[in-house]
Amino acid sequence: MAKRSDVTRGRLSREAIVVGAIALADAEGLEAVTIRRLAQEHGVTPMAMYWHFSDKDSLLDGLAEHLIEAVRLPEPSDAPWHEQLREILLAFLVAIRPHPAIAGLALRRILIAESGLRIAERVLGLLRDAGFGAGRAAEVGTFLICSVITLVGADPTPGPWQRGEEREQALRDKRARLESLSPTRYPNVIAAAPALVVCRDEDDYFALNLDLLVQGVRGLPRD
């Protein structure tokens, strides 16, 4: 007869823990993700979690790798380097955008996990093709990846854990604060208040920012 600990380990897989942790972060923020809380969610003792993750840092590494592995890199093509670069950044954005609370974790493993190294190699290769030296390509590539992460994590709308009436009230409060400003001192802020509170079209918002990043790189002087 199998021991209870063996049965628990078989039922509670590493992937199940990671998926549960991501769902918890999406709903309540990264601060809610603890070994104890996840053990409660899965109906096991905290010790059962340590079969898969030695501590919270190793758990966060697991979340980071899950994010990176979700990136579906486009195949190399004959398109201009800047178009291929944008497609890679878009693939990265698509993978992390649903998870703003943990998007920043991707940096923990992007140069360690095999899937992260593939992203880095493609980005650096395209930047070298564009005429940047190895050092400058590293700087620009790091900036681009960090910018996409910041774009997701700093979405100006209320966090995903605010839903329904709570979210709508937060938006109303933010808009009211902006529209109550002095029209003499802040006429442009007031005029833009609806768009500053929440993007009218979030897809367009992210697309615009990707274009800004790529076009900015195109305008940089080469080595």
Side-chain angles (χ1 to χ4, degrees):
M1 182 176 179
K3 295 180 180 179
R4 179 178 176 81
S5 60
D6 292 335
V7 174
T8 299
R9 274 183 283 168
R11 184 179 72 248
L12 186 61
S13 68
R14 180 185 177 90
E15 180 68 11
I17 295 172
V18 168
V19 170
I22 291 175
L24 182 58
D26 290 344
E28 300 182 26
L30 185 57
E31 297 79 8
V33 179
T34 64
I35 296 291
R36 183 172 297 277
R37 175 68 182 279
L38 288 171
Q40 293 173 348
E41 295 286 329
H42 288 281
V44 299
T45 66
M47 285 303 299
M49 307 289 290
Y50 292 117
W51 286 110
H52 302 284
F53 298 100
S54 59
D55 52 27
K56 186 170 181 178
D57 272 348
S58 65
L59 172 62
L60 295 182
D61 285 342
L63 301 188
E65 289 198 22
H66 187 92
L67 280 181
I68 296 169
E69 288 169 0
V71 178
R72 297 292 175 256
L73 280 177
E75 292 295 326
S77 70
D78 294 328
W81 69 267
H82 57 90
E83 293 181 10
Q84 294 189 63
L85 178 62
R86 190 187 188 284
E87 288 302 308
I88 292 174
L89 295 179
L90 176 60
F92 185 61
L93 172 66
V94 168
I96 68 172
R97 181 177 165 186
H99 312 292
I102 62 171
L105 295 179
L107 288 176
R108 297 172 68 103
R109 306 294 289 181
I110 201 161
L111 291 179
I112 298 175
E114 181 66 26
S115 50
L117 287 169
R118 286 196 295 270
I119 296 171
E121 181 64 24
R122 289 282 302 281
V123 169
L124 293 173
L126 289 170
L127 292 172
R128 297 297 303 277
D129 290 345
F132 295 102
R136 182 52 60 89
E139 293 173 349
V140 173
T142 300
F143 167 78
L144 290 173
I145 293 298
C146 289
S147 295
V148 174
I149 290 172
T150 301
L151 178 64
V152 171
D155 187 343
T157 60
W161 47 90
Q162 290 183 312
R163 303 182 186 279
E165 181 56 32
E166 181 184 7
R167 177 183 175 87
E168 293 304 315
Q169 185 60 53
L171 293 174
R172 287 194 294 269
D173 291 345
K174 185 175 180 181
R175 180 170 178 172
R177 286 194 298 273
L178 294 179
E179 292 179 338
S180 67
L181 295 171
S182 166
T184 302
R185 297 178 63 186
Y186 306 106
N188 294 305
V189 173
I190 294 172
L196 291 172
V197 169
V198 60
C199 301
R200 295 177 182 176
D201 188 313
E202 291 187 3
D203 289 339
D204 284 350
Y205 170 78
F206 285 105
L208 171 63
N209 278 272
L210 286 184
D211 288 338
L212 288 172
L213 289 173
V214 174
Q215 294 303 322
V217 174
R218 292 184 71 187
L220 288 174
R222 305 303 192 262
D223 291 355

